[in-house]
Amino acid sequence: VRQRLTKRELETMTFNQYTRPLDLPGCENIIVRDCTKSKHDRTISIPQSLVDLLKQQKAQQAMNRLRLGELYVVSDFVCVYDDGRLISDNTLSKSLGGFCRLHDLRHLSASLLLDAGFSVASVADRMGHTTPTTTLKVYAHALQNRDKSAAEEIDKHFKVST
């Protein structure tokens, strides 16, 4: 996770084993948090199509690094320009047509999973929430559609004549 700070915020920030300034060209005032807020590792499954895309990106980065040599900016980030410089969150958002910020995709994912009928507990695990209650508080709107669908399903089986 990375976050852009003002120069003053960066100067007054206390770093620890989880948080560090990003020391790459063009990345002044950016900090990186090397773990989740809860300090717990989380593993989630991703679709094979994304695995394939990430492998392609890694291969492309390796070719760019060989081609550019010392001019290539080495990092462990995936979203970089051809010369290895980090692509900003704003640039990524613009590439989505201004549809959403990068972090909004996290919320979209949770809402879509809940709307598709996945359990609150499984979505909470995927989101890294410590309890399903957190998920319920944040994504209650996504469950309203499920409740409406449930009422319609019950109506199919218990049709009351008027």
Side-chain angles (χ1 to χ4, degrees), residues 17-37:
Q17 70 264 32
Y18 306 112
T19 308
R20 61 186 164 83
L22 189 54
D23 187 24
L24 292 173
C27 295
E28 295 75 19
N29 302 341
I30 294 179
I31 60 162
V32 176
R33 191 170 56 223
D34 290 322
C35 64
T36 63
K37 285 190 278 184

Side-chain angles (χ1 to χ4, degrees), residues 57 61 72 75 77-87:
Q57 180 66 16
Q61 287 176 353
Y72 189 84
S75 74
F77 289 99
V78 175
C79 298
V80 296
Y81 291 107
D82 288 346
D83 64 358
R85 286 179 302 120
L86 192 61
I87 296 175

Side-chain angles (χ1 to χ4, degrees), residues 90-103:
N90 289 340
T91 302
L92 290 172
S93 296
K94 287 177 187 173
S95 73
L96 295 170
F99 170 68
C100 64
R101 298 170 302 149
L102 193 58
H103 186 75

Side-chain angles (χ1 to χ4, degrees), residues 35-147:
C35 64
T36 63
K37 285 190 278 184
S38 64
K39 314 281 188 288
H40 295 105
D41 288 337
R42 178 170 63 249
T43 302
I44 61 168
S45 298
I46 59 175
Q48 186 60 46
S49 59
L50 181 56
V51 171
D52 295 342
L53 184 66
L54 292 171
K55 285 179 179 179
Q56 287 174 8
Q57 180 66 16
K58 186 173 182 171
Q60 183 63 50
Q61 287 176 353
M63 288 190 300
N64 290 344
R65 186 174 178 183
L66 280 174
R67 185 173 48 85
L68 294 172
E70 291 182 15
L71 296 175
Y72 189 84
V73 178
V74 179
S75 74
D76 56 356
F77 289 99
V78 175
C79 298
V80 296
Y81 291 107
D82 288 346
D83 64 358
R85 286 179 302 120
L86 192 61
I87 296 175
S88 74
D89 291 347
N90 289 340
T91 302
L92 290 172
S93 296
K94 287 177 187 173
S95 73
L96 295 170
F99 170 68
C100 64
R101 298 170 302 149
L102 193 58
H103 186 75
D104 294 338
L105 294 177
R106 172 182 165 82
H107 296 297
L108 177 63
S109 170
S111 296
L112 290 174
L113 290 172
L114 290 168
D115 193 50
F118 286 86
S119 74
V120 173
S122 66
V123 174
D125 282 345
R126 189 166 181 87
M127 301 303 290
H129 295 155
T130 52
T131 68
T133 305
T134 304
T135 309
L136 284 169
K137 287 178 185 174
V138 177
Y139 299 103
H141 64 280
L143 296 172
Q144 290 170 347
N145 291 341
R146 300 298 305 161
D147 186 54

